[in-house]
Amino acid sequence: MSNALFRTKKVEQSILDTEEPEHALKKSLSALDLTVFGVGVIIGTGIFVLTGTVARNNAGPAVALAFVAAGVVCALAALCYAEFASTVPVAGSAYTFSYASLGELPAWTIGWDLVLEFALGTAVVAVGWSGYVASLLDNAGWHLPEALSGRDGADGFGFDILAAALVLVLTAILVLGTKLSARVTSVVVAIKVTVVLVVIIAGLFFIKGDNYDPFIPKAQDVPAGDSLQSPLIQLMFGWAPSNFGVMGIFTAASVVFFAFIGFDVVATAAEETRNPQRDMPRGILGSLMICTALYVAVSIVVTGMQHYTELSITAPLADAFKATGHPWFAGFISFGAAVGLTTVCMILLLGQTRVFFAMSRDGLLPRFFSHVHPRFKTPHRPTILLGVLIAVLAGFTPLSELAELVNIGTLFAFVVVAIGVIVLRRSRPDLHRAFRTPWVPVLPILSVLASLWLMLNLPAETWLRFAIWMAIGFAVYFLYGRSHSRLGRGQETPVGQVIKPDPGEGR
């Protein structure tokens, strides 16, 4: 029983599975495409909203340090992802890496976790995009009926038609091909990076040095119920909940971490990359460095333009420009946010479908979903299924309370990948690694500890919801995945031999 749960899939086997005609994705992406994907998914609501929220509530001008702390945690994980993505260039990201190093049950666990992370992330961002677009439409004099704007109408019915429509359109683009997705993303990313740079450069002229005093505000004790600090931190270390001060920076880091969600999605496209051994590390690390620099610059500018105690919670950048007598920037920033969130949704949806596709190809989910489109060479079946489900989720469900599940899910994936690097170094030292994580095992251990620290800073309710989702996942695995696993049933492709597709499979 124990051996069955922790059976590993050889790296050579994972790579060989990608050559099966009906289950092979088209290789079309370059290092630039991957970097654009990374920047496209990372820069979203975080840079436009979270900067003001955490500055005012948790860290003051030191929010820049919170972004640095969150970026360091991501960088440690990124170095581990880069080694795996260049060594095991197969769709599925952390799921595939775990299958090759830790075993089937850990792989299933992380795959199930990623499905939740990307689904909720896509839905949350789609709802945020809908809000920006509805605001722009209102400014233009076009008003959506309340019942179709996500708010309950007179009859109690409420459906966010804009959020659902966005997900469905992006689903169609992903079915048509990853290269088309990359081209659309490149155009959109160019627009939103331009918006961010304009905000930074223009904001520099309105900075007042007095607004940085104090840079790290004095710690303020707050009632436990009003603190974002997790009771786990309080119980384990005996620290009273507080905002600002040094602990406020770490609390802020656990919140702004949401702004970095998505760089790991780059790893899910490894199988569709022309030269993954070279380009995956470049795409992952390059996009993370670019976005961290932009985040720090924006946070320094916005807290310099307006004192942190006066920053807006909902639209800090736009309102900071209003406070300096330049209100037209508000519409400009709203436009940039709306455009930017489009790519965030698309790349999160791409990441989820690739994880689902990889799990299906291994038999842990129905093999019906592992067949690629005969013309476009994309996993069209899981893309359509998940696209429709997320569109419904985004249309009907208020997701604000569930957004923190995206954070804990991502951090959990970071922990598993870091451990996997250590394990695979010991179990398969012979593997060719185009990119090697430095200072193993010290750096992966630091990555685990840093991720766990941010997880401990999340509220207890988030841990409870995460545990419930994991319990459901274990039930699905033991009722279906374990008995249908291709590895468990001896159906994996022998090295040096290609399985001929079963004409009846997946019908």
Side-chain angles (χ1 to χ4, degrees):
M1 176 69 172
S2 177
N3 291 338
L5 296 180
F6 293 93
R7 54 197 173 208
T8 57
K9 185 176 182 180
K10 291 183 178 180
V11 172
E12 297 85 352
Q13 180 64 57
S14 296
I15 296 174
L16 194 61
D17 283 349
T18 68
E19 299 173 1
E20 296 180 15
E22 291 191 7
H23 307 280
L25 299 174
K26 184 178 180 180
K27 298 181 182 297
S28 60
L29 300 178
S30 64
L32 178 60
D33 292 328
L34 295 173
T35 302
V36 169
F37 270 151
V39 174
V41 72
I42 296 172
I43 296 182
T45 50
I47 200 168
F48 295 107
V49 177
L50 290 179
T51 46
T53 303
V54 296
R56 180 167 177 169
N57 294 336
N58 305 108
V63 63
L65 299 181
F67 275 114
V68 171
V72 168
V73 174
C74 291
L76 292 172
L79 290 168
C80 298
Y81 268 91
E83 174 169 324
F84 260 129
S86 62
T87 307
V88 194
V90 178
S93 184
Y95 159 76
T96 302
F97 307 157
S98 301
Y99 213 161
S101 56
L102 302 177
E104 185 170 283
L105 181 59
W108 166 268
T109 302
I110 198 64
W112 186 253
D113 164 60
L114 290 175
V115 167
L116 173 71
E117 173 198 338
F118 294 149
L120 288 181
T122 305
V124 168
V125 175
V127 172
W129 176 89
S130 172
Y132 278 110
V133 172
S135 176
L136 291 173
L137 292 176
D138 287 342
N139 292 338
W142 300 338
H143 305 290
L144 285 174
E146 284 195 357
L148 295 179
S149 63
R151 300 184 296 269
D152 290 341
D155 58 355
F157 175 83
F159 184 80
D160 195 332
I161 187 68
L162 291 176
L166 173 67
V167 175
L168 293 177
V169 170
L170 297 179
T171 297
I173 292 175
L174 288 175
V175 168
L176 293 177
T178 308
K179 192 61 181 179
L180 173 63
S181 308
R183 288 170 180 163
V184 172
T185 302
S186 297
V187 174
V188 176
V189 168
I191 294 173
K192 71 176 175 180
V193 169
T194 300
V195 171
V196 172
L197 291 176
V198 168
V199 167
I200 293 171
I201 295 171
L204 289 174
F205 293 96
F206 308 118
I207 289 178
K208 296 180 180 179
D210 292 344
N211 290 331
Y212 294 126
D213 186 22
F215 189 76
I216 303 179
K218 185 179 179 180
Q220 299 175 4
D221 293 338
V222 295
D226 297 333
S227 174
L228 284 176
Q229 194 179 91
S230 170
L232 293 172
I233 288 287
Q234 301 166 36
L235 290 174
M236 293 177 65
F237 301 99
W239 292 333
S242 64
N243 287 330
F244 306 110
V246 175
M247 283 306 300
I249 295 174
F250 287 112
T251 302
S254 69
V255 177
V256 301
F257 181 80
F258 183 82
F260 288 91
I261 294 295
F263 85 83
D264 54 322
V265 176
V266 176
T268 66
E271 192 174 325
E272 295 159 274
T273 304
R274 289 195 292 265
N275 189 345
Q277 287 78 10
R278 180 194 67 189
D279 295 341
M280 287 305 302
R282 293 180 179 181
I284 293 173
L285 297 171
S287 59
L288 183 60
M289 288 188 290
I290 291 171
C291 293
T292 301
L294 291 175
Y295 280 168
V296 171
V298 166
S299 60
I300 290 175
V301 167
V302 73
T303 53
M305 290 176 63
Q306 193 173 20
H307 197 268
Y308 74 92
T309 58
E310 300 173 356
L311 285 173
S312 164
I313 297 295
T314 56
L317 293 183
D319 290 346
F321 277 102
K322 287 181 182 179
T324 60
H326 298 80
W328 74 272
F329 270 98
F332 182 67
I333 291 170
S334 295
F335 169 75
V339 171
L341 293 181
T342 305
T343 56
V344 178
C345 278
M346 181 166 68
I347 301 168
L348 285 174
L349 182 58
L350 179 146
Q352 187 193 39
T353 57
R354 271 42 177 185
V355 174
F356 198 96
F357 168 79
M359 296 173 74
S360 172
R361 190 165 57 188
D362 289 331
L364 300 182
L365 290 172
R367 288 270 288 175
F368 171 83
F369 295 107
S370 66
H371 289 252
V372 298
H373 193 280
R375 177 182 175 186
F376 304 122
K377 297 299 180 183
T378 56
H380 60 297
R381 291 172 179 174
T383 301
I384 293 172
L385 170 69
L386 296 170
V388 171
L389 290 177
I390 295 172
V392 173
L393 185 66
F396 280 114
T397 310
L399 296 167
S400 57
E401 294 184 0
L402 298 180
E404 287 170 338
L405 274 172
V406 183
N407 279 16
I408 197 170
T410 302
L411 288 165
F412 180 65
F414 287 1
V415 170
V416 173
V417 169
I419 294 174
V421 166
I422 299 173
V423 172
L424 198 62
R425 282 282 188 98
R426 291 179 176 273
S427 61
R428 293 297 307 275
D430 58 305
L431 283 176
H432 172 67
R433 292 167 169 84
F435 178 90
R436 297 178 69 88
T437 303
W439 308 313
V440 173
V442 175
L443 190 143
I445 291 173
L446 289 175
S447 178
V448 170
L449 295 176
S451 298
L452 287 174
W453 173 256
L454 290 188
M455 290 175 74
L456 289 174
N457 275 278
L458 291 169
E461 292 82 359
T462 301
W463 283 85
L464 178 60
R465 294 177 183 132
F466 182 67
I468 292 172
W469 177 255
M470 287 292 105
I472 296 172
F474 281 120
V476 173
Y477 172 74
F478 284 104
L479 292 175
Y480 180 88
R482 181 170 171 268
S483 58
H484 290 80
S485 165
R486 293 185 70 205
L487 188 61
R489 300 173 73 177
Q491 294 180 345
E492 67 272 19
T493 310
V495 176
Q497 174 185 341
V498 177
I499 290 181
K500 295 182 179 180
D502 180 358
E505 186 180 58
R507 292 182 180 174

